Amino acid sequence: MTATRVLVLNSGSSSVKYQLLEMADGSRLAAGIVERIGEKQSRISHSPLASGGERRERAEEFANHEAALRAVSRELETDGYGLEDPRLAAIGHRVVHGGQAFTRPTLVDDAVLAEIERLIPLAPLHNPANLEGITTARTLNPRVPQVAVFDTAFHTTMPEHAARYALDAATADEHRVRRYGFHGTSHAYVSRKAAELLGKDPSEANVIVLHLGNGASASAVRAGRCVDTSMGLTPLEGLVMGTRSGDVDPAVVFHLVRVAGMSVDGVDELLNKRSGLMGLCGDNDMREIHRRVEEGDEAAKLAFDVYVHRLKKYIGAYCAVLGRVDAVAFTAGVGENSAPVRRAALEGMEGLGLRLDDARNEARPQGPDSGKPRLISPEGARVAVAVVPTDEELEIAQQTYALVSEEGPGARR
Ligand SMILES: Nc1ncnc2c1ncn2[C@@H]1O[C@H](COP(=O)(O)OP(=O)(O)O)[C@@H](O)[C@H]1O
Ligand SMILES: CC(=O)OP(=O)(O)O
Ligand SMILES: [Mg+2]
């Protein structure tokens, strides 16, 4: 029996999203999410897609990622897709921080695990969860290859002048302080899809990708290679996010420590978890912010305006970095669904060739078209503006499968 299936695990700080894909035809066999890991009301929601069976949802206390993954394994087993299934070719894991060491998908061994662990200080919210996902998956099936696909990998092509902070060089080198960038799997996938939508080869297209989810980042992609991105040493720099501040004057930190008497950990927590949209108006969900703006809520309006102003600045910056822009692609939860954010972000940018067709921007394609990339700029616009739904799980599965197919049975350990 040939092994043609890939299980993808995306372990976040408090959730695990997973998908089982059949690579022979690209179909999804099962998918689900475990949420609120470590809390009393954690829950699992599992959809057996291939059989068309009902979604199964259940509340259960999952103390950690190991318990969550064991539950995922049991759900898959119930559908006849146990982790011991010989049709499983590999398990692909999203790993957020790969530092400079990892520039491509990598077969996991003890040395790879040690390096992911060494990078924890640079991604304290994400890498520990990714590690626990990998070690648990290895325990559940020690024979199937485990592949790590890094958020940072796509950004390793950034030129040194974009990756460097203007800091004392010896200190920066000693402590690996540089800009790494994140969400790379999404930026890679979406920039390629945007080129395809224009009927171009990725090597011919310059694309600005705006990945606007809970975490948010922008990238400038020239001829299929990333040349700049908004996240830096950690996923805190750049755009305004759900709970993260994005760019601030670094002296804000000294001020809060020296004058406000906060601890360094306190400031870290403030900037990562109590800032962004949440900090400005008490809500991190863009849908809720739209609702409050409609009602005339001023704090929500200010949060929306700060979010959009930052976004606009990065779009302008990346027009300058790229010189010629073929497409601007909006993606992830906010980018794919919020017509008001897209409209406000591009307002007044006609001078840069950026225009929207309002009817296209407001349209909400249903059914099989809902997941497809679509243009929202008018016919004949100098720069194409597009909504391109991201699919990090599919991209991780394809990169994982390509690696184990290349390596052949020797990849098995
Ligand atoms: N219809 C919508 N309008 C505006 N924002 C939306 C809509 N649907 C989802 N979102 C926003 O998308 C965000 C989550 O994006 P997502 O890409 O799923 O995040 P992540 O994968 O980082 O958890 C939330 O802030 C949510 O408010
Ligand atoms: C790197 C990052 O910010 O990831 P997420 O958006 O999943 O939090
Ligand atoms: Mg996401």
Side-chain angles (χ1 to χ4, degrees):
M1 196 186 299
T2 43
T4 51
R5 293 179 178 175
V6 174
L7 175 64
V8 176
L9 295 176
N10 180 349
S11 302
S13 50
S14 67
S15 71
V16 180
K17 294 183 199 164
Y18 62 94
Q19 282 190 12
L20 178 68
L21 293 105
E22 170 55 65
M23 303 312 290
D25 60 9
S27 64
R28 280 166 222 272
L29 303 174
I33 183 166
V34 189
E35 289 173 289
R36 303 198 184 167
I37 297 169
E39 292 176 39
K40 282 260 177 297
Q41 318 96 348
S42 43
R43 56 188 303 109
I44 179 163
S45 162
H46 175 89
S47 299
L49 303 170
S51 62
E54 289 280 302
R55 179 162 64 174
R56 304 194 289 273
E57 284 199 33
R58 179 159 65 73
E60 187 180 325
E61 193 180 335
F62 300 113
N64 50 36
H65 281 71
E66 176 174 349
L69 266 190
R70 288 184 182 278
V72 169
S73 167
R74 283 194 300 273
E75 291 296 339
L76 290 168
E77 186 90 52
T78 304
D79 295 339
Y81 307 129
L83 257 62
E84 300 277 356
D85 192 326
R87 289 168 296 186
L88 190 63
I91 302 181
H93 300 265
R94 176 187 183 207
V95 179
V96 164
H97 216 308
Q100 281 183 282
F102 300 112
T103 58
R104 47 172 55 91
T106 303
L107 268 178
V108 172
D109 58 18
D110 291 339
V112 170
L113 285 178
E115 183 60 19
I116 297 172
E117 188 164 8
R118 205 170 73 89
L119 291 162
I120 285 178
L122 300 182
L125 299 181
H126 295 94
N127 271 32
N130 304 153
L131 259 182
E132 202 173 314
I134 299 175
T135 46
T136 306
R138 263 180 139 193
T139 314
L140 290 170
N141 184 343
R143 286 170 304 283
V144 76
Q146 312 277 338
V147 175
V149 177
F150 297 92
D151 256 41
T152 41
F154 182 62
H155 304 300
T156 54
T157 55
M158 273 196 289
E160 209 50 19
H161 58 253
R164 276 284 184 169
Y165 293 110
L167 295 176
D168 170 67
T171 308
D173 287 342
E174 184 185 344
H175 297 286
R176 296 174 289 162
V177 178
R178 57 188 281 119
R179 311 189 56 257
Y180 295 95
F182 301 89
H183 295 136
T185 309
S186 178
H187 288 285
Y189 176 85
V190 170
S191 58
R192 214 171 55 234
K193 286 279 163 192
E196 273 173 28
L197 183 67
L198 305 186
K200 292 190 180 219
D201 189 84
S203 68
E204 299 167 342
N206 289 353
V207 185
I208 297 174
V209 178
L210 306 168
H211 175 107
L212 312 176
N214 271 314
S217 65
S219 69
V221 181
R222 175 181 287 131
R225 293 163 68 87
C226 176
V227 293
D228 204 352
T229 193
S230 60
M231 284 179 165
L233 175 74
T234 75
L236 179 57
E237 191 179 343
L239 300 176
V240 175
M241 311 181 210
T243 64
R244 292 172 235 169
S245 61
D247 297 334
V248 291
D249 179 342
V252 167
V253 180
F254 319 143
H255 183 80
L256 291 175
V257 171
R258 292 190 190 125
V259 180
M262 290 177 72
S263 67
V264 170
D265 285 345
V267 179
D268 187 333
E269 197 255 349
L270 174 85
L271 295 180
N272 273 296
K273 299 191 175 159
R274 291 193 288 125
S275 295
L277 296 170
M278 173 67 92
L280 285 162
C281 76
D283 264 311
N284 65 337
D285 190 314
M286 190 56 87
R287 284 167 290 203
E288 196 53 23
I289 290 171
H290 291 330
R291 197 188 56 72
R292 287 174 54 187
V293 170
E294 293 279 305
E295 289 174 351
D297 183 318
E298 286 184 13
K301 177 72 171 75
L302 179 64
F304 177 85
D305 289 347
V306 173
Y307 183 96
V308 163
H309 181 67
R310 184 79 50 82
L311 188 54
K312 209 183 248 291
K313 290 209 284 191
Y314 271 92
I315 297 169
Y318 289 169
C319 286
V321 166
L322 290 171
R324 187 203 82 220
V325 181
D326 298 297
V328 173
F330 285 89
T331 195
V334 175
E336 291 166 31
N337 295 298
S338 174
V341 164
R342 296 190 298 253
R343 186 185 335 105
L346 297 182
E347 201 173 273
M349 293 176 97
E350 296 81 6
L352 293 172
L354 291 164
R355 288 190 295 138
L356 274 190
D357 178 303
D358 281 331
R360 287 179 172 182
N361 186 42
E362 307 284 338
R364 297 199 146 269
Q366 303 295 324
D369 281 345
S370 63
K372 290 194 185 142
R374 62 191 178 94
L375 282 176
I376 55 172
S377 47
E379 220 54 59
R382 178 145 59 89
V383 178
V385 182
V387 173
V388 180
T390 193
D391 198 337
E392 289 162 282
E393 283 76 19
L394 178 63
E395 180 72 18
I396 292 170
Q398 285 172 343
Q399 293 192 14
T400 297
Y401 192 60
L403 179 69
V404 294
S405 311
E406 219 171 81
E407 304 260 330
R412 298 180 162 271
R413 53 194 68 215

